[in-house]
Amino acid sequence: MKKLMTLLAVSGFAVAGEASADYALNLTEGVTELSRDIHDLHMLIFWICVGIGVLVYGILVYSLIHHRKSKGAVPAQFHENTKIEILWTVIPFLILLGMAIPATRVMIKVYDTTGADLTVKVTGYQWKWKYDYLDEGVSFFSTLSAKSNEARQMGSGIDPATVDHYLLDVDHPLVLPVGKKVRFLFTGGDVLHAWWVPDLGWKKDTIPGFITDGWATIEKPGTYRGQCTELCGRDHAFMPIVVIAKPEAEYREWLAAQKGTAVQAAGEPATSQEKPSDHQPEPPLAAAGSSEATSPAPAIGEPLTQEVAMTLGKEVYESHCQSCHQANGEGVPGLFPAIHGSQVVQGPLAAHIQLVLNGKPPLMASFRNILKPQEVAAVITYQRNAFGNSTGDLVQPADIATH
Amino acid sequence: MSVSAIHDDHHDHGPAKGLMRWVTTTNHKDIGTLYMVTSLIMFMVGGAMALVIRAELFEPGMQFVDPMFYNSMTTLHALIMVFGAVMPAFAGLANWMIPMMIGSPDMALPRLNNWSFWLLPFAVLMLMSTLFMEGGAAAAGWTLYPPLVLQTGAAFPFTIFTIHILGVSSILAAINIIVTILNMRAPGMTLMKMPLFVWTWLITAFLLIAIMPVFAGAVTMLLTDKFFGTSFFNAAGGGDPVLYQHLFWFFGHPEVYVLILPSFGIVSQIIPTFSRKRLFGYSSMVYATASIGFLSFIVWGHHQYTVGMPIEGELYFTYATMLIAVPTGVKVFNWISTMWRGAITFESPMLWAIAFVVLFTLGGFTGLMMSISPADLQYHDTYFIVAHFHYVLVSGAVFAIIGGVYYWLPKWTGRMYDERLAQLHFWLTTLSVNLCFFPQHFLGLAGMPRRIPDYALQFAEFNAWSSVGGFIFGFSQLIFCYIVIRCMRRQGEHASDEVWEGAGEHGLEFTLPSPAPYHTWETPPNVH
Ligand code: HEM
Ligand SMILES: [Cu+2]
């Protein structure tokens, strides 16, 4: 007990320096009209509860003090009173009616996704987000930042307090324009997830095979952080969301840079869904604030050398395969098979390609639309020549295209 | 309530000797004891799992367990607490008390009674054995949502089979309780004279019979989706993952009322005794319980405000859920009016009952807040709701059970528990439960999602407090175990027949000798 208290005090001091300034007691007002409306609803119902609470607890405490036997209280005989019973049924009902009206008004607003200026499709994957700017042909994945990811491993020896925005930072944030109505379309790639940025005022489930929607008009430029809120497996806690809201002009600039970087190395997910050969490689995602260095990527269609395939394949493996099949390729017994010594990996190439392209529902996503042929080729090459596998195969994008 | 009881104590044959007494018993008191002991053990096991969770959450960073195991802990903790601790405790109390309260010699279907108990230990043992299976225990949360739950390893069919067995056990117990209450009442014990604990259990039993088959059906559909190629919940095959959620919560919301209605009953027994005054608004209590029972079937969608229902559905579930606050409020007002101008004393059972009223109401307030669907778009799946349901389930359901045990333990064992230790147990538990769960409101509002093993730095302080509270809470329960075991071993002062001053006025059970003989009411009392 004493030990625990000391522990608490120590840990309290330890985090006080970095974090105390940040912690909040109440719901954020957020940066959209919806989030403010919802915050107001929250405060209204909160104060109603406080009011009822003061009354109810007040009467209870009064009774506990004054109607004690030790004070010589003699029990009264009453045990019903129709009038008062009707009263305390009707009055709460009226209070609720008073709550229902503003709640309905706000809910109708939440559901009004019409008249949007742009649409972003959000897909939840185990354990990353994919953002598609539907009208712009820009799309990319967003995963936990490398620093947080390193620090959060058990026995990493890294103090989370030394990591900026521990667990709330990503490699590629979602960039949105300020003052524009953004419509979000949500869907799931494998299991359920939920997309929540408290400053936008709501969360929405992402459901495989279905599309749900939501909207936000962000009023202030800034960085807004959130997390997945629907349990989605092992790394549910490790797929944060970062939204950067920029003034229209800066947003346009960012967008243009994205379109310029049509072809990216794997792991640098900004890609175009237009015909990829129209574009040339460019410095990737500088505007999004990505700090990671990237390896030069070969243009699509160009045959891979063993060396390039292995480097690219390792990157793809780390961002798309590792969370299940593990860094050492040993998998998780009973859940996720090992790559090391796998029958598929050491067997015929065609089966291996099929598996990666089609996935294994409900356990593994189909990568046909997630990775480019070049990336699939690279990661398969990598798997067939790493983790103690040594088939010596070199798979080419052209091999993938035929499947 | 006045009673002219004729006790006949010749041919009062006692229990059989040895272990077989417990295996083959059809005696409602034995079976009640079995349920209660099982419940206490599972309460400690589920509690240990909670401490694994709280240990991992004490500080940011991953210290002790793999995230997968963490998820198994949250899943099993909830399943064990709900199905292994709280429900069996209610069943135990029902077995012990309902026959004694309505003047019946036993439950109506004694062999069925034995069977419904003995299914239980095997079910929970099977559930716990899944921890050692390849791939670990189920880790998709107690709600077992697909598609995630379909990623469970070897544990999957065993988890589902466990639920089937638990379901059968609950349904059998519920049938037995209904039949007993409707057929075995002593002459003069009309329905509207039944103690409130009996009433709340009667309604609970109907809820159980209605919902357990739905749950069993839903998990069977999971089973066929995984093993037999059906696509109930798989969009690629024309199904819908959200359909499972509707089925689950059609079970799940009434289920949370299964976990609270008998508590309402217990508290409604305790408060009049220690206020020395009749329960205020008896008939409105009965009607309120019945309306809560009814409403509980039509509000399930409030667990799914974020799945993208049509707005009509969203609004309907909002209004219906808000309505539940009305009968719930009536109950709270009635308890307080019972105390009003009574002559209150503060023996342990009363302390727990008062704490129940205060803290359950707090959970009711957060429930009301979450019923407002737009606001719930923020609260949903955060620690705010974790705080809500622990206030209603721990400082609600569990507090009422503990209060009930203190209230009736002297009747069961013939011994008075140690009041000083019991007061210590109460204060430690009440302070720590608040230290554990109150900060979670702030965490949720500040943006911490539920079911995560690690969190951002701004959540560190409150999590540390919460963990300290959790550990104090957990270890305080050892005092409870000690107190109960002492009474069971017949140590401590003898209890009088009435046990509590004037309790004979408040329930037939307190007109029987202490300890209650193995067979009671072989000749029914006459209730005026
Ligand atoms: C005034 C009465 C109550 C209201 C209006 C209410 C409302 C709600 C709402 C709206 C939710 C869903 C929150 C969310 O997921 O976003 C919820 C969750 C929950 N409530 Fe209540 N509630 C009430 C009383 C109770 C009682 C009496 C119990 C049980 C004893 C209970 C147990 C739970 C549980 C276990 C959950 C969470 C289930 C889960 O997601 O795992 N509630 N409640
Ligand atoms: Cu509910």
Side-chain angles (χ1 to χ4, degrees), chain B residues 249 252-254 256-257 296 299-303 321 324 388:
Chain B
W249 287 113
H253 189 81
V256 306
Y257 280 93
S296 74
V299 299
W300 75 89
H302 65 221
H303 296 270
T321 305
I324 290 204
H388 159 71

Side-chain angles (χ1 to χ4, degrees), chain B residues 326-451:
Chain B
V326 176
T328 312
V330 167
K331 309 214 74 144
V332 174
F333 300 145
N334 280 341
W335 289 320
I336 292 177
S337 306
T338 306
M339 288 184 247
W340 187 256
R341 293 184 45 213
I344 304 173
T345 50
F346 298 96
E347 290 88 342
S348 293
M350 184 63 165
L351 289 179
W352 291 96
I354 294 169
F356 172 95
V357 173
V358 173
L359 299 176
F360 171 78
T361 303
L362 202 81
F365 284 142
T366 49
L368 185 59
M369 293 173 75
M370 298 184 317
S371 72
I372 312 292
S373 49
D376 190 64
L377 299 182
Q378 290 278 35
Y379 309 140
H380 178 64
D381 270 350
T382 68
Y383 260 80
F384 192 78
I385 100 149
V386 177
H388 159 71
F389 65 72
H390 283 94
Y391 265 89
V392 285
L393 287 174
V394 180
S395 53
V398 173
F399 270 38
I401 291 167
I402 296 177
V405 169
Y406 281 122
Y407 186 51
W408 287 305
L409 194 58
K411 176 56 62 189
W412 300 336
T413 63
R415 299 296 166 135
M416 219 40 210
Y417 58 83
D418 185 332
E419 182 69 32
R420 271 192 31 222
L421 270 184
Q423 299 254 342
L424 178 71
H425 172 222
F426 170 78
W427 287 108
L428 275 176
T429 305
T430 302
L431 294 176
S432 60
V433 93
N434 284 290
L435 182 60
C436 183
F437 297 117
F438 204 79
Q440 295 182 356
H441 292 111
F442 302 131
L443 285 171
L445 293 176
M448 180 167 159
R450 68 191 283 208
R451 293 170 167 165

Side-chain angles (χ1 to χ4, degrees), chain B residues 122-185:
Chain B
F122 293 100
V124 288
L125 278 178
M126 184 153 78
L127 186 62
M128 304 228 300
S129 73
T130 62
L131 273 171
F132 306 99
M133 292 180 185
E134 232 191 25
W142 80 288
T143 48
L144 305 174
Y145 279 3
L148 183 63
V149 73
L150 302 174
Q151 296 184 352
T152 309
F156 184 76
F158 294 94
T159 309
I160 284 174
F161 193 38
T162 298
I163 288 166
H164 285 154
I165 303 178
L166 289 169
V168 173
S169 162
S170 298
I171 291 172
L172 296 182
I175 290 173
N176 205 350
I177 286 167
I178 292 174
V179 176
T180 305
I181 296 175
L182 294 185
N183 291 308
M184 308 277 285
R185 279 169 289 130

Side-chain angles (χ1 to χ4, degrees), chain B residues 194-223:
Chain B
M194 293 193 314
L196 225 81
F197 178 70
V198 181
W199 255 116
T200 53
W201 238 120
L202 180 63
I203 293 165
T204 303
F206 278 104
L207 295 192
L208 275 172
I209 291 181
I211 61 175
M212 292 313 290
V214 177
F215 189 27
V219 297
T220 307
M221 288 153 87
L222 287 176
L223 198 72

Side-chain angles (χ1 to χ4, degrees), chain A residues 10 175 243 252 317 341 378:
Chain A
V10 170
V175 178
V243 174
R252 285 279 151 216
Y317 184 84

